[in-house]
């Protein structure tokens, strides 16, 4: 059974088909990359799955429940975690409070007015931080962290609701190559341990080819290829959309915006 | 009403619209680029009328009048540049909205300076040379000067429009309005851009004021009237949009002209005097527009303005030192009735300060941790005060029940208004809350049979034993302590965290399942309810409540208290309210020019403590902004 | 910046000290608390202040009252009832006064009236015009000097009725004073002239009249006559727009307060000639009492008196006379002394009625004319307040039983 099944998803903006009849699935435990040149419709597609955009038509089935058009928070409640392209934390909270906030929300304690939040789920939050290697930073203000560390915090937050599917929008954007590898390795390790499926978009082709179980390619709003790394590398259509724009996979590696 | 009468009133409306446009357009430009809410804009407008009056009467003739108008615009332009360079530039890095405090102080100083220079009498300028008479249109007389105004408004709009579209300066202004950080990134000298925009905005205000010299007397009340109108026009039109400002000015002026033209209408079962609606017409328009179009008629959503100031520190429970201090202060306050035997006024002042503390703390609750800058917190104060007073007056309930009802009525009002307000953000939210507050005010003012109209409700004194100042003081103290601790408790609870999460990053908060709007809505309601207690206590402390008490001035006082104390701290509003209320009371007795003195003291505080008083104290003691 | 901080702390500490430390008492004076909206109504209240300063100086020059000098502690009431009540509270609790005078706007006067009744403090309302201060909301401790709205309107009614105009339009500021003036006018004129018709009413917000549209709406209602209650800046705008648009041409205009120098003088060469007004033709009243007042005033301040000067002067003369009559500053004795207190003023003799605590000081009714490029009043006469007030039996019904 697939964790996520996208069926005939479409969205246009002012007559331009940003996403056009796209269908794909994510299998349980799969690490699936969604790639494509700029303007291919990756972000639109992604934002429809995470609830930020409502599709014009099509279905998004998460564990057989149609989540198309639901609000992001409702999708999250069903068991879908996410990270942002530009990592954001709650700047006025400490690192551990950021994670605690997610745990509090997951435990449906958001409207609690009495018990101090600082004591709620602190141990579990510290534990999650330890898993992403940020235990030492637990009580620092999160706004003081380096960008790479913020990405790790995000990961800890994303794991807080024990998701079955994790959506990651350009997880390594804005990071140095060394950091990138470390982060993705960490992600892969964590999701494999938990059996979480991952759908991620990524500009860095070495990350994609090295870690993705499967790759799907969008171009001008349409799905043009679906396969493992070797198949995608050899796919003439994929080569055309990338090389046709003057890029090669080698060039593209360092060119994340 | 005949068609020609109707059309003629439309012409009157256009003349007024030009006036409104001039007040508003500069404010819009300044806000668009610098994000400063310049409360002193109305003061610059007022100065325009006074300066132009002096030119027109001292030099006289065509030169004195027309030349004077141009000279006035230039003088006010220079003044605007000076304000920006000498004052505002020093505090751009302060927490957001802090500049508002500085411009508020300027309002006080400029008003007294004007009184000192020009005296107290209304100064009606001469008619415009060359345009003294009237022209006949639709069989009615339209002053030729009105015709001139009808033309000059759109003319200035066109000039500005092309200047913004075609010049490098204009492109920078537009770019900065869209995304201020980008302009900084482009290597533009931000200081020069800000100064020149502020100067341009000031010049437009001065010009607008000067142009009114032939229509209206220069009076000291103009500043606040003008700033109120300006805000409404800017927000209805869309912040930063000059065409929007003109469109909004026309709509508001026409709605008012229409209300006046309709006059008294007998519906059979009820007679309505529509001219009374002009009291609140602009705010009704504003509320309607903001509910339908959250960014004004021609405004665009602004790129998220990341504050140039540092984000605040995580909140922490009070350190032992602070707790000890709080206990000591509380003990002192409880002992005040004993101390006050020699000077019973301390208790009267104490009651006022404590009410201000509840008011400011409840405002801070949504302004600081909630990030919702309410400019209409007086509404909930008023609902509480009127709720309690009217229950005593009409239902003859005891004071205790009135005090219980006060927060509930305010809570109900805040639930209603908050539901609309939290759908907006930033300055649009601020203005919608202001509009609601003005609507509440107008309802209290206009509903004479029920609320006592402009006289308000009088004769609601506390029964024994609370009629003794000492007992009432202790009651107020107990309620204030409970209110403050309760709000503090909420802030440390998951709900308070969720509020801050929604403020820090709404997207992220939604992505971890937090319904940000709902959290903020409930926070708004809680703050309104607590504020209602302050209103109830106020009504019984003074034995009366009237519309003035809940007018926009009180909302602004609340902002001043919060900012003065330090918006990024939890004890800030308590200190800010205490300092401001005491200062105001003290200063009012010291000198005839107490407003200027108060303004100057606030300016000093602003320059010395850009983090607010508590922020500064915390820094001195090495613990950065966290008590 | 750092060097500034200590200075600032000192300055603030100083400010608090000033506010909280009670000044040393001088027991050889009679303290009178005074409060008014000096900042928001400077036009009227600057001359008012001069007026009471002159009265106090005169009284003290003659040795004061009961052998003690008068000492006035004056406060700004912040222009709103909440601050006014606090200022009154401060005067009573901190300064220890039991006599308060002043206030200008009706609602502030009412709030202080109520405060006085509650705290049993003597209050002489100087200027606020609302009828409620002496009638519906009157109390034992409150007296009022100026002719009330009812009285001022009543003074104009004979002239309004004599004009024999059928269609009347009304324009008044949208607050207590304007509303009650309009109500009183309609009721009284209807009684004097049953066939009268009120064709429109314009009630612009105080200080924010959209004059062009308002005069046009008045004109479009095609009235034969207009009753105006606007004053101050609103009046200036109304007059200029009305003149330019020819709205007042061939129409009778009856207008409250317009003849007061505070409101008439700013109009200069545009003063609305022919309007029937209440006011104060200071340069034309030749009674000895008034001439002496004007001379002294001019000598002292190098300026001419406005109506505010008269009000301020008469207020404090009243207090001095009342204290002298009571032979004490005891509140209850002062209240009794004020009932029926008779005294002379620049306007002539008047008394505080025992029945409703209202002074019978009158006002001048006349027509606006232009002389020497500025407005003045002609054909004026002094209308004594006692001639326009209802009798004691009637007002007794208007006042709460506890007030007498």
């Amino acid at each position: 059974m697939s964790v996520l099944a996208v069926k005939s998803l479409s969205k246009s903006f002012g007559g331009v088909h940003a996403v056009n009849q796209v269908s794909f699935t994510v299998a349980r435990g799969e690490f699936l990359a969604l790639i494509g040149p700029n303007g291919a419709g990756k972000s639109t597609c992604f934002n429809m799955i995470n609830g930020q955009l409502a599709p014009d038509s099509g279905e998004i089935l998460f564990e057989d429940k149609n989540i198309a058009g639901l609000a992001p928070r409702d999708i999250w409640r069903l068991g879908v975690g996410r990270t942002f392209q530009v990592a954001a934390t709650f700047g006025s909270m400490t690192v551990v409070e950021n994670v605690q906030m997610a745990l509090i929300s997951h435990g449906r304690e958001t409207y609690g007015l009495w018990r101090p939040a600082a004591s709620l789920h602190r141990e579990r939050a510290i534990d999650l931080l330890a898993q992403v290697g940020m235990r030492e930073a637990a009580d620092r203000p999160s706004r003081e962290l380096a960008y790479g560390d913020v990405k790790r915090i995000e990961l800890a937050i994303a794991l807080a609701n024990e998701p079955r599917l994790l959506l990651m929008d350009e997880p390594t954007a804005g990071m140095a190559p060394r950091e990138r590898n470390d982060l993705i390795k960490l992600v892969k390790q964590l999701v494999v341990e938990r059996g979480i499926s991952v759908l991620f978009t990524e500009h860095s082709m070495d990350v994609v080819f090295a870690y993705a179980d499967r790759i799907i390619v969008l171009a001008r709003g349409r799905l043009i290829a679906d396969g493992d790394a070797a198949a995608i590398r050899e796919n003439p259509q994929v080569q055309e959309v990338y090389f046709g724009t003057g890029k090669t996979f080698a060039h593209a590696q360092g060119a994340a915006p | 009403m005949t068609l020609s009468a109707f059309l003629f009133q439309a012409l009157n409306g256009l003349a007024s619209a030009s006036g409104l446009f001039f007040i508003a357009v500069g404010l819009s430009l300044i806000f668009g680029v610098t994000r400063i809410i310049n409360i002193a804009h109305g003061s610059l407008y007022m100065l325009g009328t006074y300066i132009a009056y002096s030119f027109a009467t001292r030099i006289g003739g065509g030169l004195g009048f027309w030349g004077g108008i141009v000279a006035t615009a230039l003088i006010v332009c220079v003044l605007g540049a000076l304000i920006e360079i000498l004052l505002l530039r020093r505090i751009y890095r302060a927490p957001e909205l802090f500049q508002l405090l500085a411009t508020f102080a300027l309002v006080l100083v400029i008003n007294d300076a004007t009184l000192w220079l020009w005296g107290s009498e209304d100064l009606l300028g001469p008619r415009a040379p060359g345009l003294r008479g009237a022209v006949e249109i639709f069989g009615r007389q339209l002053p030729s000067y009105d015709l001139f105004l009808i033309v000059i408004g759109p003319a200035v709009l066109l000039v500005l429009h092309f200047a913004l579209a075609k010049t490098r300066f204009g492109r920078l202004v537009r770019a900065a309005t869209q995304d201020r950080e980008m302009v900084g990134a482009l290597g533009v000298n931000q200081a020069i851009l800000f100064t020149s925009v502020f100067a341009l905005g000031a010049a437009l205000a001065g010009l607008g004021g000067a142009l009114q010299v032939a229509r209206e007397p220069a009076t000291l009340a103009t500043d606040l009237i003008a700033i109120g109108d300006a805000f409404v026009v800017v927000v209805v039109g869309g912040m930063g949009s000059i065409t929007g400002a003109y469109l909004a000015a026309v709509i508001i002026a026409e709605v008012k002209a229409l209300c006046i033209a309709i006059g008294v209408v007998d519906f059979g079962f009820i007679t309505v005097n529509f001219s009374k609606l002009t009291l609140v017409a602009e705010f009704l328009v504003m509320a309607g527009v903001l509910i339908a179009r959250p960014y004004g008629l021609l405004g665009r959503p602004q790129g998220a303005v990341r504050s140039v100031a540092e984000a605040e520190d995580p909140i922490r429970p009070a350190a032992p030192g602070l707790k000890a201090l709080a206990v000591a202060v509380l003990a002192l306050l409880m002992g005040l009735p004993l101390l006050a035997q020699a000077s019973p006024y301390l208790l009267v002042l104490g009651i006022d300060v404590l009410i201000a503390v509840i008011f400011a703390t409840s405002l801070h609750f949504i302004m600081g941790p909630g990030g919702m800058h309410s400019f209409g917190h007086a509404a909930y104060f008023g609902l509480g005060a009127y709720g309690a007073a009217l229950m005593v007056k009409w239902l003859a309930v005891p004071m205790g029940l009135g005090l219980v009802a006060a927060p509930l009525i305010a809570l109900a009002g805040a639930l209603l208004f908050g539901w609309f307000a939290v759908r907006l953000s930033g300055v649009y939210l601020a203005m919608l809350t202001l509009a609601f507050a003005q609507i509440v005010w107008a309802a209290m003012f206009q509903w004479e049979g029920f609320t006592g109209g402009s006289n308000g409700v009088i004769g609601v004194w506390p029964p024994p034993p609370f009629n003794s100042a000492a007992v009432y003081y202790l009651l107020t103290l107990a309620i204030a302590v409970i209110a403050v601790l309760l709000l503090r408790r909420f802030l440390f609870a998951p709900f308070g965290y969720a509020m801050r999460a929604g403020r820090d990053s709404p997207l992220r908060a939604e992505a971890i399942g937090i319904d940000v709007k709902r959290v903020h809505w409930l926070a708004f309601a809680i703050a309104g309810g607590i504020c209602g207690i302050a209103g109830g206590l106020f009504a019984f402390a003074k034995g009366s409540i009237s519309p003035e008490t809940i007018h926009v001035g009180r909302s602004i006082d609340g902002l001043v208290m919060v900012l003065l104390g330090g918006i990024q701290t939890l004890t800030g509003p308590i200190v800010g309210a205490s300092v401001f209320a005491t200062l105001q009371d003290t200063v009012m007795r010291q000198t005839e020019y107490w407003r200027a003195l108060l303004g100057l003291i606030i300016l000093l505080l602003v320059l010395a403590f850009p983090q607010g008083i508590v922020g500064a104290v915390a820094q001195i003691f090495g613990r950065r902004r966290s008590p | 910046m750092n060097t500034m901080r200590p200075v600032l702390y000192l300055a603030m500490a100083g400010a608090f000290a000033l506010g909280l430390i009670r000044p040393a008492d001088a027991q050889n004076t009679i303290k009178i608390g005074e409060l008014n909206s000096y900042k928001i109504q400077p036009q009227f209240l600057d001359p008012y202040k001069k007026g009471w300063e002159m009265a106090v100086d005169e009284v003290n020059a003659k040795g004061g009252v009961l052998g003690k000098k008068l000492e006035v502690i004056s406060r700004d009431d912040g222009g709103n009832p909440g601050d006014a009540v606090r200022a009154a509270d401060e005067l009573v609790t901190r300064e220890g006064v039991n006599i308060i005078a002043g206030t200008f706007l009706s609602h502030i006067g009412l709030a202080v009236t109520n405060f006085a009744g509650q705290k049993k403090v003597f209050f002489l309302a100087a200027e606020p015009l609302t009828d409620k201060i002496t009638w519906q909301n009157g109390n034992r401790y409150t007296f009022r000097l100026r002719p009330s709205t009812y009285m001022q309107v009543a003074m104009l009614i004979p002239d309004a009725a004599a004009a024999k105009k059928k269609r009347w339009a009304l324009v008044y500021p949208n607050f207590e004073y304007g509303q009650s003036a309009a109500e009183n006018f309609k009721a009284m004129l209807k009684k004097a002239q049953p066939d009268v018709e009120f064709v429109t009413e314009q009630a612009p917000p105080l200080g924010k009249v959209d004059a062009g549209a308002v005069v046009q709406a008045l004109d479009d209602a095609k009235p034969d006559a207009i009753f105006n209650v606007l004053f101050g800046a609103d009046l200036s705008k109304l007059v200029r727009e009305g003149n330019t648009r020819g709205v007042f041409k061939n129409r009778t205009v009856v207008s409250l307060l317009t003849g007061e120098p505070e409101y008439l003088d700013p109009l200069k060469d545009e003063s609305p000639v022919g309007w029937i007004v209440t006011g104060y033709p200071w340069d034309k009243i030749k009674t000895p009492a008034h001439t002496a007042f004007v001379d002294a005033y001019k000598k002292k301040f190098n300026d001419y008196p406005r109506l505010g000067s008269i009000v301020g002067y008469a207020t404090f003369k009243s207090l001095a006379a009342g204290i002298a009559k009571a032979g004490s500053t005891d509140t209850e004795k002062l209240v009794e002394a004020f009932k029926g207190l008779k005294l002379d003023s620049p306007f002539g003799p008047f008394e505080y009625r025992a029945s409703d605590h209202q002074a019978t000081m009158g006002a001048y009714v006349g027509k606006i004319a232009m002389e020497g490029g500025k407005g003045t009043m002609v054909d004026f006469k002094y209308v004594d307040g006692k001639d326009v007030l209802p009798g004691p039996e009637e007002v007794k019904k208007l006042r709460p039983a506890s007030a007498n």
Side-chain angles (χ1 to χ4, degrees), chain B residues 398-400 460-468 471-472 540, chain C residues 118:
Chain B
M399 179 181 83
V460 284
W461 295 99
F466 296 102
N467 56 353
S468 129
V471 179
Y472 197 78
F540 292 111
Chain C
Q118 173 74 13

Side-chain angles (χ1 to χ4, degrees), chain B residues 280-334:
Chain B
V280 68
E282 64 259 51
F283 291 100
L284 290 172
V285 170
M286 177 155 89
V289 165
L290 284 182
I291 288 168
R293 289 189 60 95
Y295 301 100
L297 293 172
L298 298 184
R300 270 179 254 173
Q302 286 149 359
V305 183
R306 285 171 291 278
S307 172
V308 279
E310 265 185 85
E312 68 192 56
D313 281 332
I315 57 172
R316 298 193 203 286
L322 183 65
K323 273 187 184 153
L325 182 67
V327 170
V329 169
L330 186 59
L332 186 71
L333 289 176
M334 282 165 67

Side-chain angles (χ1 to χ4, degrees), chain C residues 281-347:
Chain C
W282 67 273
D283 50 347
K284 293 186 172 166
I285 304 169
K286 298 299 178 199
T287 60
H290 185 262
T291 309
F293 171 79
V294 172
D295 290 346
Y297 191 92
K298 280 185 165 169
K299 194 172 155 212
K300 193 171 170 74
F301 300 109
N302 196 24
D303 195 1
Y304 61 91
R306 319 300 206 272
L307 187 67
S309 319
I310 296 279
V311 172
Y313 183 81
T315 300
F316 277 76
K317 284 287 189 170
S318 301
L319 288 173
I323 295 168
K325 183 178 166 197
S328 146
T329 53
D330 177 77
T331 309
E332 301 298 330
K333 285 185 184 151
L334 196 55
V335 168
E336 292 306 323
F338 253 77
K339 290 183 178 173
L341 176 70
K342 290 189 171 64
L343 73 156
D344 286 320
S345 78
F347 280 10

Side-chain angles (χ1 to χ4, degrees), chain C residues 261-288:
Chain C
E262 284 88 340
Y263 310 128
L264 184 59
D265 292 354
L267 298 174
K268 289 181 275 197
D269 60 343
E270 298 192 32
S271 302
V273 172
W275 283 23
I276 300 161
V277 299
T278 60
Y280 172 40
W282 67 273
D283 50 347
K284 293 186 172 166
I285 304 169
K286 298 299 178 199
T287 60

Side-chain angles (χ1 to χ4, degrees), chain B residues 334-517:
Chain B
M334 282 165 67
L336 199 63
L338 297 174
L339 292 174
Q341 274 165 349
S343 171
Y345 179 61
L346 271 185
L347 292 178
V348 177
L349 183 61
I351 292 169
D352 277 12
V353 169
L354 288 169
I355 290 171
V357 165
I358 303 176
F359 182 61
T361 311
S362 67
L363 175 60
H364 174 264
F365 186 72
I366 47 173
M367 240 180 106
M372 293 175 278
H373 303 144
S374 169
F375 277 33
H377 211 49
Y380 313 103
F381 189 87
L383 286 171
Y386 267 98
L390 289 172
M391 280 186 69
V392 170
K393 180 181 169 190
W394 292 114
L395 304 177
V397 303
M399 179 181 83
L401 206 56
L403 283 179
V404 171
L408 296 179
I409 293 167
L411 179 80
L415 276 173
L416 175 65
F417 295 146
W419 194 83
F420 294 102
V422 298
R423 257 135 259 275
L424 311 184
S425 60
V427 75
Y428 291 96
L429 179 144
M431 289 299 136
L432 186 60
T433 55
L434 173 65
F436 286 138
Q438 290 305 86
I439 290 167
V440 168
W441 169 80
M444 300 305 162
F445 191 95
Q446 208 53 262
W447 196 359
E448 286 151 49
F450 184 57
T451 63
S454 61
N455 287 334
V457 187
I458 54 175
V460 284
W461 295 99
F466 296 102
N467 56 353
S468 129
V471 179
Y472 197 78
Y473 165 81
L474 289 174
L475 174 73
T476 310
L477 179 63
I479 294 177
V481 168
I482 292 170
V484 167
L485 289 180
L486 209 57
L487 287 175
R488 198 175 163 90
R489 183 98 199 179
F490 294 168
L491 284 181
F492 281 95
F495 183 77
Y497 273 63
M499 252 169 90
R500 285 192 294 138
R503 173 200 64 184
D504 286 354
S505 173
L507 269 185
R508 153 68 64 197
E510 288 278 336
I512 57 166
I514 297 173
D515 189 339
V516 173
K517 293 221 178 318

Side-chain angles (χ1 to χ4, degrees), chain A residues 52 71-73 76-77 80 82-84 88-94 97-98 101-102 104-106 109-118 120 139 141 143-144 154 157, chain B residues 310-316 486 489-490 492-498 500-519 522 526 624-625:
Chain A
Q52 231 143 287
R73 59 173 179 274
W76 178 85
R77 287 233 173 266
V80 182
R82 69 180 282 202
T83 65
F84 289 80
T89 57
F90 304 129
S92 70
M93 298 184 197
T94 61
E97 285 170 346
N98 266 275
M101 188 70 245
I104 285 168
S105 177
H106 183 52
E109 296 158 314
T110 307
Y111 296 95
L113 285 170
W114 204 247
R115 281 184 60 194
L120 291 171
D139 288 313
R143 65 179 157 84
E144 290 177 357
E154 257 205 322
I157 294 172
Chain B
E310 265 185 85
E312 68 192 56
D313 281 332
I315 57 172
R316 298 193 203 286
L486 209 57
R489 183 98 199 179
F490 294 168
F492 281 95
F495 183 77
Y497 273 63
R500 285 192 294 138
R503 173 200 64 184
D504 286 354
S505 173
L507 269 185
R508 153 68 64 197
E510 288 278 336
I512 57 166
I514 297 173
D515 189 339
V516 173
K517 293 221 178 318
R518 194 154 157 225
V519 167
L522 293 176
I526 290 172
R624 305 194 331 127
R625 284 178 281 127

